[in-house]
Amino acid sequence: MVKEKVRGNLIVISGPSGCGKGTICAELLKNNPELFLSVSMTTREPRDGEINGVNYYFVTKDEFLDKIDDGDMLEYAVVYNGNYYGTPKDQVEKKLEQGIDVILEIEIEGAAKVNETMPEGIFIFIMPPSMRELKRRLIKRNTETKEQIIERFKRAYREINEVSKYNYIVINDEVKNAVSKVESIIKAEKCRVNRIEDFDLNTKEEMLHELLTEDLKDYDK
Ligand code: 5GP
């Protein structure tokens, strides 16, 4: 019998702001409710319609700094406008232990930190089809001021050069295609040989014996 590892996979989905990683993750979760999307903590203000504990845990800077001091964050980064974003450690660890695959939708700096502590993670970079398209998407979603869009766009230029540190690249030309590729990656990763914990040789030998004696006894060619 082949015994698979019980522990879930940690899947880090990263890419520049506006590349569509949020949309891809939402679609992924809709199609695969067995996956767990980690809820990040942030010091930024909630946007219209965002719910505490669902989209983010919205906290003050002091609360965030306390969490860092207590060693409760798997990773964190100061992203835009001096705001902190980070992944609380406990929920991720609990789900992985339960055999549930966990998705982290985070920016590049945080992904690099996760790579240091959990290199066994699966690192997927979502790439916009072009920088022009990225700029178009940042403007179209209409959630940032002009200055914020410029800041995000400049950061995106730097971030794209980090792609070689990832295991996979998915170009987000169309959400449906991109989601399907991410799903394929998750499925393929489940078949990795290093996920086999135990391969019972006794059972294998017993089966061989059974095949050669019992099942072949009436075969007389
Ligand atoms: P937004 O303000 O648009 O919700 O998010 C800004 C950026 O922060 C996005 O690129 C998003 O992926 C990233 N982000 C969200 N949560 C986390 C987190 O827990 N850690 C890190 N490092 N980045 C995050």
Side-chain angles (χ1 to χ4, degrees), residues 13-18 21-22 38-42 44 47 50 55-56 64 73 75-80 84-88 104-111 113 141 143-144 152 155 159:
I13 299 189
S14 201
S17 180
K21 56 188 186 298
S38 156
V39 180
S40 296
M41 197 168 272
T42 184
R44 85 145 159 75
R47 294 185 188 128
E50 284 186 331
N55 303 93
Y56 282 103
F64 202 108
M73 303 307 281
E75 62 75 32
Y76 70 90
V78 183
V79 188
Y80 302 109
Y84 285 71
Y85 291 77
T87 308
L104 303 188
E105 191 243 290
I106 60 178
E107 53 67 65
I108 277 93
E109 212 180 299
K113 284 185 200 153
R141 72 180 187 187
T143 47
E144 277 82 26
R152 284 181 184 233
R155 192 181 170 106
E159 291 178 336

Side-chain angles (χ1 to χ4, degrees), residues 11 20 24 62 71 79 95 105 154 160 167 177 180 187 195 200 202 204 211:
I11 301 143
I24 291 172
D62 283 345
V79 188
K95 296 288 174 187
E105 191 243 290
K154 281 187 183 161
I160 279 170
N167 306 116
N177 289 341
S180 156
K187 272 189 209 143
R195 283 197 58 87
D200 193 334
N202 284 335
K204 206 171 128 193
L211 276 170

